[in-house]
Amino acid sequence: RVKPHDPTWSLDVSSLPTAAVASRDLCIDQAVVFIEDAMQYRSISHRMDAGSMRLYRCYYSNACQRILNFTIFSILALAFTESPCSLTKTADVRYRSLHWEPPCGLTEGIEGLCLLVFMTDVSVKCFLVGRAQFQRNVWLLAYVAVLAVSVVDWTVSLCLLCQERLRIRRLLRPFFLLQNSSMMKKTLKCIRWSLPEMASVGLLLVVHLCLFTIFGTLLFTVGEEDEHEKKERLTYFQNLLDAFTSLLVLLTTANNPDVMIPAYSENRAYAIFFIVFTLIGSLFLMNLLTAIIYNQFRGYLMKSLQTSLFRRRLGTRAAYEVPLRQGPAQGSEVGVMPQDFLQVLEKAQLSSSQKQAVMEKVRSLDGVLLSADEFQKIFSEVDRGVVREHPPRPCYRSPLLQSAQFLFGHRYFDYLGNCITLANLVSICVFLVLDEDVAPSDRDNFVLGVLNCVFIMYYLLELLLKVFALGPWGYLSYPENLFDGLVTLALLVRLEMPGHPLAWCGLGLWLRAVLV
């Protein structure tokens, strides 16, 4: 017990406001991290002290994630330059020049920097999740093991001056991309769950192939006396291995009906063998395998969506509980003040559309305390997003201009432009068909050039009329209008340059047609 006249007592009292402010700031930072985890569907099982949260937010910042992605790209791109490398200008061996051999230590140095980044990455992850989570996380354990093998193999490569025959680390490089992609992890997990049912159907396919291989070998066997006359039907069934390979390809219908023709030429009844094989294998067992894979992936997609939704709700619930950790006054209502929530949102790293949608919803509550259910419902606005409003159209006083603005701003005017684009493509195709037997240097492109000029002038007129109807900023607010305008200007510039008009006009019109 401390007496009132004790100097220690007065020191504690003076430090209470500072401690309260620090505690409140810590709670706000924790709520910010939880909300960011919820928006990114991340787990909240990580350290939550002040220093760890600063490191956590720095690790998941855009700059750090871009550095990590660039490092993964760099270590995978080394395969195009490392020895032995066949990356040359042409693939023809007659004209292929000697490929560039990087000096020893160049690619190894780049790889060493990449491995250093990966070691920093796994160290930060292990520190943030803690020892208990690290021991239960299979991906982190595999990450450490792959890094250890890669570093040892990289060291051996440097010690042997790049003269080693086997580089194990090259086989492990795709793992760095795999462990950094949640979608690839989910795909692998779904494949692992699908393997038992896929294995059963795969066993049926193997039995099916083996049985028909034996039947085919026995059915198409010929004696010595007629070997020279009927050897043609033995083209695909000379032995068990050739017969198995031929039927395996036939299962994909890649060699159909070539595999059947020699035997069918001898006797039409032999076609029954191939028809039965195709019906059972391609139309039943292969479709059954496809249905199993589709069913497993569909079920896993539902589970993945449920897991993501659970992580979001868990993160938002944790963000709601953190500000209440100090506890409300006795007899007061439990909830989160909107101004505290707005302060959390200001510090959270969210997209502008997400932040705007949530903040508008919070401001509409007029200072009412947010309950847990209301706090969860607010984040449903994130999925809805913000409806982007286009700039207002110009106001014209003349009735004639107003009518023209309504006409050229209507969607039917866009349909007319699409029809004109289709007519332009058809005209180019017609001229290509008419001149298919004429050398490009001997073609008369006068009529085609005139047609292209007419069409390009229409596109330019369409651009100006849309700018008149929507206004400059309103025209640019539509991505399709921006793309149409760039293609039109490119065609107009190309029209003033010498060269064959078909390629450039056809390319521009094809891009415009794809957008439509």
Side-chain angles (χ1 to χ4, degrees), residues 226-244:
D226 56 352
E227 182 178 359
H228 298 287
E229 298 178 359
K230 303 181 180 180
K231 65 178 181 179
E232 183 184 2
R233 71 187 191 192
L234 287 174
T235 304
Y236 298 96
F237 294 89
Q238 294 183 4
N239 50 55
L240 286 175
L241 183 60
D242 290 344
F244 185 86

Side-chain angles (χ1 to χ4, degrees), residues 481-501:
N481 289 342
L482 182 61
F483 184 83
D484 285 348
L486 292 176
V487 172
T488 301
L489 293 178
L491 292 176
L492 188 62
V493 171
R494 185 59 189 173
L495 187 64
E496 302 296 332
M497 300 172 61
H500 198 276

Side-chain angles (χ1 to χ4, degrees), residues 285-302:
L285 294 179
M286 292 297 289
N287 287 338
L288 181 61
L289 181 62
T290 304
I292 289 175
I293 296 175
Y294 169 75
N295 186 51
Q296 290 292 326
F297 270 81
R298 184 183 63 175
Y300 181 75
L301 177 61
M302 183 63 65

Side-chain angles (χ1 to χ4, degrees), residues 405-422:
Q405 183 184 26
F406 173 78
L407 178 63
F408 299 127
H410 202 273
R411 64 177 183 275
Y412 287 155
F413 186 67
D414 295 333
Y415 297 159
L416 176 62
N418 297 337
C419 294
I420 297 297
T421 303
L422 179 61

Side-chain angles (χ1 to χ4, degrees), residues 293-402:
I293 296 175
Y294 169 75
N295 186 51
Q296 290 292 326
F297 270 81
R298 184 183 63 175
Y300 181 75
L301 177 61
M302 183 63 65
K303 293 180 181 179
S304 177
L305 292 176
Q306 292 175 352
T307 303
S308 300
L309 181 60
F310 175 75
R311 284 187 174 181
R312 169 169 288 188
R313 290 183 176 180
L314 185 61
T316 54
R317 181 68 183 191
Y320 173 80
E321 294 292 342
V322 165
L324 297 177
R325 184 172 296 173
Q326 296 177 348
Q330 186 175 2
S332 62
E333 186 179 357
V334 177
V336 175
M337 293 296 295
Q339 57 268 24
D340 295 337
F341 187 31
L342 290 175
Q343 186 177 358
V344 171
L345 290 175
E346 287 291 344
K347 299 180 66 175
Q349 296 179 357
L350 305 177
S351 64
S352 58
S353 60
Q354 292 178 342
K355 187 176 294 187
Q356 180 181 353
V358 177
M359 294 181 71
E360 288 180 356
K361 185 66 175 180
V362 174
R363 291 192 183 100
S364 64
L365 299 177
D366 297 332
V368 181
L369 286 178
L370 300 176
S371 63
D373 293 337
E374 293 173 346
F375 196 86
Q376 293 278 2
K377 291 179 181 178
I378 285 176
F379 284 92
S380 62
E381 300 294 327
V382 175
D383 297 325
R384 300 179 185 177
V386 180
V387 179
R388 182 182 178 184
E389 296 183 359
H390 298 282
R393 297 186 177 186
C395 296
Y396 300 104
R397 296 183 179 181
S398 173
L400 180 61
L401 294 180
Q402 292 177 358

Side-chain angles (χ1 to χ4, degrees), residues 215-224 226-243 246 258-266 270 274:
F215 292 159
T217 305
L218 296 176
L219 184 62
F220 301 124
T221 300
V222 296
E224 297 181 356
D226 56 352
E227 182 178 359
H228 298 287
E229 298 178 359
K230 303 181 180 180
K231 65 178 181 179
E232 183 184 2
R233 71 187 191 192
L234 287 174
T235 304
Y236 298 96
F237 294 89
Q238 294 183 4
N239 50 55
L240 286 175
L241 183 60
D242 290 344
S246 300
D258 297 342
V259 68
M260 183 181 65
I261 294 302
Y264 182 77
S265 302
E266 179 66 24
Y270 285 144
F274 297 97

Side-chain angles (χ1 to χ4, degrees), residues 46-244:
H46 51 79
R47 298 177 185 267
M48 293 303 297
D49 56 279
S52 299
M53 284 191 299
R54 285 194 295 269
L55 180 61
Y56 184 82
R57 297 193 69 194
C58 178
Y59 174 78
Y60 281 105
S61 62
N62 292 331
C64 291
Q65 292 302 308
R66 286 173 182 172
I67 291 175
L68 182 59
N69 294 333
F70 178 76
T71 304
I72 296 174
F73 170 78
S74 300
I75 199 170
L76 293 178
L78 287 178
F80 294 98
T81 57
E82 287 179 326
S83 178
C85 174
S86 60
L87 185 62
T88 54
K89 183 178 180 180
T90 177
D92 195 336
V93 295
R94 298 172 297 174
Y95 310 107
R96 183 187 300 175
S97 58
L98 295 177
H99 58 273
W100 176 66
E101 288 287 348
C104 180
L106 179 60
T107 58
E108 285 75 13
I110 298 176
E111 187 176 11
L113 293 177
C114 295
L115 293 177
L116 184 61
V117 174
F118 292 141
M119 286 189 288
T120 306
D121 176 55
V122 71
S123 301
V124 172
K125 283 184 177 180
C126 294
F127 171 76
L128 291 175
V129 300
R131 182 177 180 180
Q133 289 290 333
F134 168 72
Q135 292 176 351
R136 292 195 297 264
N137 196 320
V138 180
W139 285 103
L140 282 180
L141 293 174
Y143 197 0
V144 174
V146 169
L147 267 178
V149 174
S150 299
V151 170
V152 171
D153 189 66
W154 178 78
T155 306
V156 171
S157 179
L158 289 182
C159 295
L160 297 178
L161 300 178
C162 311
Q163 298 300 322
E164 76 281 8
R165 299 195 177 190
L166 179 62
R167 298 181 182 181
I168 303 176
R169 64 185 185 274
R170 292 184 177 180
L171 302 176
L172 303 177
R173 286 175 184 173
F175 178 83
F176 299 121
L177 176 63
L178 186 65
Q179 63 84 27
N180 196 52
S181 174
S182 59
M183 184 58 66
M184 290 187 179
K185 292 179 182 178
K186 293 177 181 178
T187 304
L188 279 182
K189 189 179 293 185
C190 181
I191 292 175
R192 186 187 66 183
W193 289 353
S194 305
L195 281 179
E197 296 187 16
M198 293 170 58
S200 60
V201 181
L203 182 60
L204 286 177
L205 282 171
V206 172
V207 172
H208 171 69
L209 284 171
C210 291
L211 288 178
F212 274 85
T213 297
I214 296 174
F215 292 159
T217 305
L218 296 176
L219 184 62
F220 301 124
T221 300
V222 296
E224 297 181 356
E225 64 279 359
D226 56 352
E227 182 178 359
H228 298 287
E229 298 178 359
K230 303 181 180 180
K231 65 178 181 179
E232 183 184 2
R233 71 187 191 192
L234 287 174
T235 304
Y236 298 96
F237 294 89
Q238 294 183 4
N239 50 55
L240 286 175
L241 183 60
D242 290 344
F244 185 86

